[in-house]
Amino acid sequence: MNFSLQDYLEELRPLINVDCGTLTKEGLEAVASQMAAKYEAMGGWDIKVVDCGIAGPGLEIRNKPEAEHIDVMLIGHMDTVFPVGTAAARPMTFDDEKAYGPGVADMKSGLLNIVYTMRNLDKALLDKMSICVCMNPDEEIGSLHSQEWMRGVALKAKHVLVIEAARADGSLVKARKGMARYKMTFKGKAAHAGNDPQNGRSAISEMAHWILEVNKLTNFESGTTLNAGVVKGGAGANIVPDHAELIVDVRFWDNDEYDHVHNTLSNMTPFVDGVSCELVREAHKPSMVPSEKTEELMGLVEEAGKEVDINITWQAVGGGSDANLTAVLGVPTLDGFGPAGAMMHGPDEYMVLNTIEPRIRLLMRVLEKIAAK
Ligand SMILES: [Zn+2]
């Protein structure tokens, strides 16, 4: 295989040194055009730019755009969680072991590993397979604007591989918790806290009741947990607050148990007379739990690992990804095929250099074995 670490890192650098947090449309367009150009240069790929509304462009790249079925769908996201200014404040750097920078592991290196895989795969093998690479611009906010499109593609696919980073110890990901996020807006009635408190209706008191109810729904044993993570409200200590906002994050293994949480929250009524609450579900990803077909695919990946001399281990993790979206459709889905990395979503995010090339070889071998099935 053709691989130079130096070249790889130089190709990675412009993907890192651009602000492309979710909804930073300009930066995401820049990343999308860089990625599209790589496939364009390879030749043999049909590149479709998908309009994901306010989230910016997605890319759907196929070698057989006319084929009804897709043997393998590869998924990566182009957005990061970092605000504008991050790329200038801490552009990509590297030392002997690791590379650093916003999105270096989550997941620009994953996107580039897919490109290297396609460049190095035997042309005859590519001719035999129908491959679709999907890159979305909004994974970090729950793929709100791309999930309909991605689901539509996944329904045509026999296998889905998500190229998020491998865990720090190199493990791939076979299961991910589901997640949901709710925003609750409370409206009460303002009043002077000194002259007229009895005529006020406190939105913050109402919110406090909700937080306690939300906490009651947590079950650490089964892994259904709710976190009242953000609160806002009030305009001054001397005013009965007429406005409050609460954002709650839910994580779960059991999709039925989550349904119960969802119904409970949706049916809750105000505790304080004269206060209203509006509840909006801003994001939802079902949990990804391996099916029998997924276990078959895991076996294939383990065999591929043996053949390229990589010890395959698996983890079940709490964080969601687009793997959750496709797994729930019944399409065997595995995740973590990118280079290993850790400390995602923070300033210490890193990617392990000596895992780049082995992970490309692993992905190539997995595709070869799927083609031979
Ligand atoms: Zn990611």
Side-chain angles (χ1 to χ4, degrees):
M1 182 183 110
N2 241 332
F3 184 79
S4 141
L5 181 60
Q6 210 56 41
D7 291 350
Y8 183 98
L9 291 172
E10 285 319 312
E11 198 171 344
L12 184 60
R13 192 187 297 278
L15 291 166
I16 306 293
N17 294 353
V18 53
D19 286 317
C20 53
T22 323
L23 304 178
T24 311
K25 217 169 168 179
E26 213 177 298
L28 286 158
E29 279 164 1
V31 172
S33 75
Q34 284 188 51
M35 293 312 302
K38 296 180 196 304
Y39 288 88
E40 189 81 62
M42 258 185 271
W45 294 94
D46 177 84
I47 301 162
K48 192 166 107 190
V49 179
V50 180
D51 182 1
C52 299
I54 58 163
L59 290 173
E60 183 179 320
I61 300 180
R62 297 187 61 174
N63 66 335
K64 294 187 188 298
E66 311 304 333
E68 246 170 69
H69 77 279
I70 292 166
D71 291 308
V72 184
M73 175 185 185
L74 296 143
I75 297 179
H77 62 85
M78 298 185 283
D79 58 327
T80 69
V81 298
F82 299 104
V84 171
T86 309
R90 46 182 191 87
M92 188 180 107
T93 56
F94 57 88
D95 54 29
D96 288 347
E97 281 173 26
K98 296 169 182 165
Y100 310 86
V104 68
D106 184 14
M107 58 167 285
K108 297 297 164 39
S109 54
L111 298 181
L112 195 52
N113 265 30
I114 303 176
V115 171
Y116 269 70
T117 299
M118 297 313 161
R119 284 180 188 157
N120 282 288
L121 270 180
D122 192 21
K123 288 277 170 286
L125 183 108
L126 275 174
D127 277 348
K128 270 203 281 177
M129 289 183 99
S130 164
I131 293 177
C132 180
V133 182
C134 283
M135 288 174 258
N136 59 342
D138 60 343
E139 192 272 344
E140 297 291 1
I141 56 164
S143 305
L144 280 183
H145 308 277
S146 60
Q147 54 180 272
E148 212 182 290
W149 154 52
M150 305 260 283
R151 265 199 214 106
V153 177
L155 284 171
K156 293 185 248 173
K158 290 186 188 157
H159 309 89
V160 174
L161 304 176
V162 181
I163 322 296
E164 294 268 12
R167 313 304 284 180
D169 70 352
S171 290
L172 300 175
V173 177
K174 64 171 179 176
R176 285 184 180 272
K177 270 192 166 181
M179 69 83 64
R181 190 175 62 247
Y182 294 88
K183 181 172 171 180
M184 298 154 199
T185 308
F186 304 94
K187 288 209 168 71
K189 190 173 162 234
H192 193 292
N195 296 330
D196 206 19
Q198 69 281 7
N199 287 328
R201 293 289 177 269
S202 170
I204 290 182
S205 296
E206 176 67 25
M207 178 173 71
H209 280 285
W210 281 67
I211 292 172
L212 296 177
E213 292 304 307
V214 159
N215 288 345
K216 280 185 202 159
L217 293 168
T218 282
N219 180 346
F220 288 117
E221 240 145 75
S222 65
T224 300
T225 59
L226 289 83
N227 181 48
V230 179
V231 295
K232 266 191 243 168
N238 58 352
I239 309 166
V240 176
D242 65 350
H243 184 88
E245 254 175 55
L246 167 64
I247 300 180
V248 173
D249 176 283
V250 187
R251 304 284 162 146
F252 49 91
W253 286 119
D254 184 333
N255 288 321
D256 291 337
E257 205 170 293
Y258 164 69
D259 285 343
H260 168 71
V261 167
H262 177 71
N263 290 334
T264 306
L265 292 176
S266 304
N267 292 323
M268 253 160 70
T269 49
F271 296 82
V272 178
D273 193 35
V275 180
S276 68
C277 172
E278 188 200 21
L279 176 121
V280 177
R281 182 165 73 179
E282 291 187 316
H284 172 226
K285 277 179 186 174
S287 67
M288 163 194 175
V289 182
S291 66
E292 214 169 283
K293 279 199 290 183
T294 315
E295 281 175 14
E296 228 174 86
L297 184 59
M298 286 166 68
L300 181 147
V301 171
E302 285 162 18
E303 255 175 61
K306 266 186 214 140
E307 291 167 16
V308 296
D309 213 16
I310 295 173
N311 184 34
I312 303 293
T313 53
W314 302 96
Q315 271 189 34
V317 302
S321 84
D322 284 321
N324 300 60
L325 289 179
T326 60
V328 77
L329 301 174
V331 188
T333 301
L334 293 170
D335 196 353
F337 285 88
M343 310 297 279
M344 265 73 110
H345 297 189
D348 299 324
E349 177 182 4
Y350 67 82
M351 182 263 290
V352 183
L353 299 182
N354 70 7
T355 64
I356 299 170
E357 192 256 2
R359 295 293 152 153
I360 298 167
R361 277 193 287 121
L362 176 65
L363 188 53
M364 286 172 63
R365 185 55 61 95
V366 168
L367 294 179
E368 285 160 7
K369 291 185 86 72
I370 289 175
K373 262 191 7 176

